[in-house]
Amino acid sequence: MGDKTCDSATLTVDGHTVSLPMMTGSEGERAVDIRHLRRETGVITYDPGFANTGDCTSDITYIDGEHGVLRYRGYDVEDLADHCEFVEVAYLLVHGSLPNAQQKAEYSRLLNLHSLIHEDMVHFFAHYPDRAHPMAVLSAMVVSLSSFYPELGENRREDIDMTVTRLLSKLRTIAAFSYKKSLGEPIVYPRHDMKYCENFLNMMFNSPVVKDPVNPVLADALNQLLILHADHEQNCSSSVVRAVGSADANLYASISAGICALWGPLHGGANQHVIEMLQDIRANGGKVDRAIERAKNRDDSFRLMGFGHRVYKSYDPRARVAKKICKSVMAALNRQDPLLDIAQELEAKALADPYFQERNLYPNVDFYTGLTYRQMGIPTDMLTVMFAIGRLPGWIAQWLELRSEGEPKIARPRQIYTGPGLRTVVPIEERP
Ligand code: SDX
């Protein structure tokens, strides 16, 4: 196979040798280009879960899983979380550079312009059962946006900004309205005098009779958490958004599919399951050893939720920042949370355990984020909705990048067939 210096790899199949070109990314990662493999050898590759397979080149996000590095358009995620607003990072992901003051002001104007949803959509909420999962509502409402706002424009910058800010603003509004409806409370409309995160918390927790000022500690923490979630290269939901977009489906349909993929407990749904796991541990006397032993038992389907990652074989940099945010919010609000104590004990014991060490299992983005959202009052079943609000600009940037390369190539993996050979239909009365 190719070494660092050579620009091709050699493969011999059934005595026939082919030379396959090598690709090298801007940070030095290497790939064997197998685009012509089947034509030249008659065989395909086999890689369930695509752990060894890239399906695109991308300029958006870089992850070094061995060293715990995450950069959006070249900026380290912690640098962005410390110095930017989520809206600036959304602009960066979509446009490739941070906005100047004028571009940011225009983005904020468009976010306000698009912050409402069509009043006919507001009635949709009344017909969901109270126990409807917020991710089900979110996905359905987003694909319904395509009925109310069918125009997506072309790929001109002003069309892109209109489409992006419309989705960013309306997703936040849909999430808050859905929560209010689940409580049976009147919805709180967005306000043009509030910034993105403050507006969301106001819509979520104020009401026609409660006009409390939004706590700036929580608004700032939300801003940082949304930045931590904003993109993560070709994760499951981003791959789904690209796959649906590759069929020439519209952006709303693609994002709605991404929301459904994110809902999975192995993916973004893990943040809800982390809190439920910590609550279970607390309800059973707070003994973390039992959870550790269950996670190690191959006969037990239990997994340590918020631990492990396909790419990070070191500490997820987002988990490190999320833990810091959680502890600073607790200190600022002078609060304690027994679930944080349990989470830290669980982390310490897992990281000291050979089972987790041998498999390079560390806390991932979902391990600490829910604990901070709890301090904001976000209900557990809405935690993955918060992940979706943060990930939206990343999904959009990935979809736009796929579409910017001309006619997208439809995503259509091959397979190795292992089913029965040819069979002939027997009349039903003769079947055993
Ligand atoms: C996200 O891809 C992304 O970038 C995703 C994400 C993003 O920003 O988009 O980072 C967000 O989805 C984070 C992950 C959230 N999910 C969880 O926290 C669920 C718990 N984690 C696991 O289910 C698992 O770690 C995955 C799904 C995250 C990764 O699975 P992989 O890469 O397919 O790894 P694997 O299942 O093959 O595990 C390898 C070994 C296995 O043991 P052995 O067969 O070698 O004995 O590690 C074990 C697994 O059993 N293992 C765990 C474990 N995770 C892996 N054992 C116990 N607890 C766990 N959490």
Side-chain angles (χ1 to χ4, degrees), residues 400-415:
L400 289 172
E401 183 174 69
L402 169 95
R403 310 279 292 221
S404 66
E405 293 144 9
E407 176 73 14
K409 205 158 182 54
I410 191 166
R412 202 273 183 227
R414 286 188 175 263
Q415 62 163 28

Side-chain angles (χ1 to χ4, degrees), residues 63 232 235-237 265-268 270 295 298 302-310 313 316 318 355-356 359 361 364-366 387 391:
I63 300 174
H232 214 237
N235 59 85
C236 179
S237 52
L266 295 184
H267 191 13
R298 297 180 72 97
F302 176 83
R303 287 204 155 188
L304 211 54
M305 299 311 277
F307 254 74
H309 199 277
R310 172 65 59 77
K313 300 311 171 190
D316 183 332
R318 300 167 299 174
Y355 172 91
F356 294 86
R359 293 166 178 79
L361 303 177
N364 59 48
V365 66
D366 292 314
F387 195 140
R391 183 53 53 85

Side-chain angles (χ1 to χ4, degrees), residues 222-326:
L222 176 57
N223 182 70
Q224 290 188 295
L225 290 176
L226 294 180
I227 290 172
L228 293 185
H229 287 87
D231 191 55
H232 214 237
E233 54 136 280
Q234 304 312 313
N235 59 85
C236 179
S237 52
S238 295
S239 303
V240 164
V241 168
R242 278 182 172 257
V244 175
S246 75
D248 206 17
N250 68 62
L251 178 61
Y252 300 109
S254 305
I255 297 298
S256 177
I259 291 169
C260 292
L262 186 73
W263 191 2
L266 295 184
H267 191 13
N271 58 14
Q272 172 177 340
H273 289 263
V274 167
I275 296 300
E276 291 167 351
M277 173 184 74
L278 297 174
Q279 287 170 329
D280 285 347
I281 292 170
R282 186 184 182 205
N284 292 295
K287 294 180 177 40
V288 303
D289 296 330
R290 183 170 176 274
I292 296 279
E293 289 315 307
R294 286 193 63 196
K296 292 159 58 176
N297 180 357
R298 297 180 72 97
D299 298 327
D300 190 331
S301 61
F302 176 83
R303 287 204 155 188
L304 211 54
M305 299 311 277
F307 254 74
H309 199 277
R310 172 65 59 77
V311 175
Y312 289 120
K313 300 311 171 190
S314 58
Y315 210 103
D316 183 332
R318 300 167 299 174
R320 190 177 60 248
V321 179
K323 182 178 182 180
K324 186 178 77 175
I325 293 167
C326 184

